[in-house]
Amino acid sequence: MESISLLNTGPAVPRLRNGCLLKPPPLGILSLAAWLRSHGVTLNIADYQLAGGDMGEQLLPSRFASFIEEHSPAPIIGISTMGGMLPVVLMAVEEYKARHPEKTIILGGSGPAGVAAHILRAFPAVDCIFCGEGEAALLEFLEKNGDPSTVAGVVYREGDSIVENPARKRISDLDVLPVPAYDLIDMDRYAVVNVSTSRGCPYRCAFCESPAFWGKGVVYRSLDNVMNEIRELRTRWAKRQINLCDDTFVARRPRVEEFCRRVISEKLDFRWECFARVDLVDPDLMKLMAEAGCSGVFFGVESGSDSVLSRIDKRFTVARARDVISQAVKIFPHVYTSFVWGLPFETMEDFYDSILLMTEFGNSGVRVQRPHFSLRPGAPLFAEYGYDLAYSSSLPYHFLEVPRRFLPPEVEETIRRYPEIFITFYHITGLEFEEKQLFMRNLEALGEEKWRIMAEHLGCVVNEIHGDKNNNM
């Protein structure tokens, strides 16, 4: 059986506290490594997040090519990447493979999954791409000495043709997976860690690709299994901030309540944050979560317009979001929200409704993320709007990507050359996008005081609009 080197790419946004990375260890490749090792596979792993250097350096393809060179002794190299680092990775792989044509290079992660065939046509250095869960597929691939022809869930090149194997059946019992291989990395370099208690999301938000990546439905780990991993992170690795990275941790209320009660009764004593939904929590549940150590909750509100919320299938109203978040800020030290602007059907009235709600939340202590809308291959909106794309080098920072102002010219040129691959760097034209972009750029220029300044200038408008809405409820 072949050996493998597993590399994680980021995305490369350095955040440090006392020399430790404020980003978690690469849970995906740590899970892969634990599974492969338990089946006798020889492997090594490396995390580009720890490579150091400023943002401009991290985004140089030549630098990542050197990272591959330094950390890939095995004949097969597996690289996990999100969309933001995808152009850097592909350019680096081409450079590296020119020096090492004997190596087999495979990609995995959410970045390449939805555009696998396009990548294989444009970048011959990539040998195959794994879509979805990787543990069973990668083990089978290695057992067959790198032959992808019968491995479900793999897209590969055969001569001049691109072959897309059938999708792989999901792992139905996540408890069969060992604890991620934390011992293979320097855990002292990370200030926080992530734990996944489930895979998948039961919702179908129109802009999100998660259901397409994981498949339909949610598969849960047993709470005994989850508690064992958390206990190891607390005792062996002395971690106090252990975040739960499930797409929607609160999807099953009885499970959340049991989790919280066990954390309390077993005195695990750690801080955690999670992703939630405003239609799935209430003060009683949030207070129990806080008692169990929850210090932060992220809500994907996405819009201040009920018509937009309906269009993207969020299944709650602005009134519900306002009510729950006003309660959440009284319970948790940290509350985060996300708003997506620039949707192709978002009118200027919708846009300003979102701005007003952002301002309200921002002034109540909520940390407001405000990414522009970008198409995600596999998301419901992708099939509807996967055309009429435009690229802008001056869009405000998108937390799922990398800051565009740091992109090297050769990377930006590659992004422009292959919009079908790097579609997440593009936006949909129309419906006053340029006007919205200018507004958001000016908002960013206000700095840390943005929400206070906005409230001062929009206070009377906010009160008038809220009054009208309250009168109509």
Side-chain angles (χ1 to χ4, degrees):
M1 182 164 29
E2 296 279 15
S3 62
I4 188 169
S5 297
L6 296 173
L7 309 182
N8 179 62
T9 61
V13 181
R15 296 175 58 204
L16 300 175
R17 178 193 293 155
N18 299 325
C20 293
L21 199 69
L22 283 174
K23 286 189 150 190
L27 193 58
I29 66 169
L30 291 176
S31 180
L32 289 173
W35 175 254
L36 297 177
R37 184 171 62 179
S38 71
H39 287 80
V41 176
T42 301
L43 57 90
N44 71 287
I45 68 174
D47 185 4
Y48 192 53
Q49 294 182 123
L50 300 179
D54 61 29
M55 179 64 70
E57 291 175 314
Q58 288 193 26
L59 296 176
L60 290 171
S62 59
R63 191 171 187 271
F64 188 68
S66 298
F67 181 82
I68 300 173
E69 187 92 50
E70 181 180 355
H71 296 283
S72 302
I76 298 176
I77 303 170
I79 302 175
S80 175
T81 184
M82 296 176 67
M85 283 293 287
L86 187 58
V88 177
V89 169
L90 292 176
M91 295 177 69
V93 163
E94 290 290 311
E95 179 180 332
Y96 173 82
K97 192 71 172 282
R99 298 194 296 268
H100 300 279
E102 77 284 0
K103 296 276 190 168
T104 297
I105 296 182
I106 61 179
L107 300 184
S110 61
V115 291
H118 292 302
I119 291 173
L120 291 171
R121 290 189 186 99
F123 293 89
V126 179
D127 293 289
C128 56
I129 295 173
F130 285 65
C131 303
E133 281 181 318
E135 288 89 355
L138 189 52
L139 177 60
E140 183 181 346
F141 176 79
L142 295 174
E143 288 175 338
K144 294 179 178 178
N145 295 313
D147 178 7
S149 59
T150 60
V151 180
V154 176
V155 183
Y156 67 99
R157 188 185 300 100
E158 190 173 83
D160 295 331
S161 301
I162 306 300
V163 180
E164 300 187 41
N165 288 345
R168 191 172 199 89
K169 185 178 178 181
R170 294 174 67 184
I171 299 172
S172 59
D173 180 8
L174 294 178
D175 285 4
V176 304
L177 300 177
V179 171
Y182 297 115
D183 58 296
L184 294 182
I185 57 173
D186 184 358
M187 287 286 279
D188 290 338
R189 299 283 304 278
Y190 302 89
V192 301
V193 293
N194 278 354
V195 167
S196 172
T197 81
S198 66
R199 289 180 175 179
C201 181
Y203 294 90
R204 295 292 181 271
C205 300
F207 55 85
C208 181
E209 78 280 18
S210 178
F213 182 82
W214 290 113
K216 294 181 179 180
V218 183
V219 179
Y220 293 91
R221 296 169 61 187
S222 71
L223 286 183
D224 285 341
N225 189 272
V226 172
M227 294 301 169
N228 287 339
E229 181 177 347
I230 292 174
R231 194 172 292 107
E232 177 175 325
L233 288 167
R234 287 291 296 116
T235 57
R236 182 177 180 184
W237 304 110
K239 296 302 178 184
R240 290 293 306 276
Q241 186 71 44
I242 305 172
N243 295 332
L244 307 179
C245 62
D246 304 44
D247 285 336
T248 311
F249 175 67
V250 298
R252 286 186 177 179
R253 183 179 182 125
R255 188 172 188 269
V256 177
E257 292 172 338
E258 182 183 354
F259 171 85
C260 292
R261 293 190 182 105
R262 288 192 59 171
V263 169
I264 296 167
S265 65
E266 296 175 28
K267 297 181 171 60
L268 291 177
D269 187 26
F270 68 100
R271 295 183 300 273
W272 52 282
E273 298 184 350
C274 68
F275 296 97
R277 284 177 58 98
V278 298
D279 55 334
L280 295 179
V281 297
D282 57 27
D284 289 340
L285 182 60
M286 291 190 288
K287 288 175 183 176
L288 178 61
M289 291 165 61
E291 184 182 355
C294 183
S295 58
V297 178
F298 181 99
F299 295 102
V301 175
E302 315 310 357
S303 179
S305 162
D306 281 333
S307 64
V308 171
L309 291 177
S310 176
R311 182 68 176 78
I312 61 178
D313 201 20
K314 287 302 293 185
R315 305 185 188 182
F316 57 75
T317 64
V318 171
R320 174 68 178 179
R322 176 178 286 114
D323 179 53
V324 168
I325 289 173
S326 67
Q327 297 163 356
V329 295
K330 300 173 185 176
I331 297 171
F332 301 111
H334 306 296
V335 176
Y336 312 85
T337 63
S338 173
F339 286 80
V340 176
W341 61 272
L343 287 150
F345 40 79
E346 175 193 61
T347 66
M348 287 306 298
E349 182 180 357
D350 296 329
F351 175 77
Y352 286 123
D353 280 342
S354 289
I355 296 298
L356 294 176
L357 195 57
M358 290 183 205
T359 300
E360 177 185 339
F361 288 167
N363 278 298
S364 69
V366 176
R367 301 185 186 184
V368 181
Q369 296 178 353
R370 45 206 176 276
H372 67 275
F373 171 69
S374 61
L375 284 170
R376 304 277 153 180
L381 286 177
F382 181 79
E384 189 174 351
Y385 291 99
Y387 59 91
D388 200 20
L389 301 173
Y391 179 84
S392 170
S393 59
S394 60
L395 275 169
Y397 172 55
H398 191 313
F399 72 97
L400 291 176
E401 307 297 348
V402 294
R404 296 175 186 226
R405 67 182 183 278
F406 293 112
L407 288 174
E410 64 270 28
V411 174
E412 194 161 21
E413 181 182 344
T414 297
I415 292 170
R416 291 176 180 271
R417 185 181 305 155
Y418 300 107
E420 71 280 6
I421 295 175
F422 308 115
I423 193 167
T424 58
F425 285 86
Y426 287 74
H427 62 270
I428 305 297
T429 58
L431 281 185
E432 297 91 11
F433 185 89
E434 289 73 19
E435 183 178 342
K436 297 171 187 175
Q437 179 182 350
L438 178 60
F439 186 100
M440 296 304 290
R441 192 181 302 141
N442 290 335
L443 178 65
E444 297 297 325
L446 297 177
E448 295 296 323
E449 294 294 305
K450 64 174 69 68
W451 302 124
R452 180 187 61 79
I453 295 171
M454 289 290 291
E456 288 180 356
H457 288 276
L458 296 174
C460 60
V461 178
V462 172
N463 291 333
E464 181 179 345
I465 290 177
H466 287 178
D468 289 344
K469 290 182 177 179
N470 290 333
N471 291 335
N472 291 328
M473 288 180 185

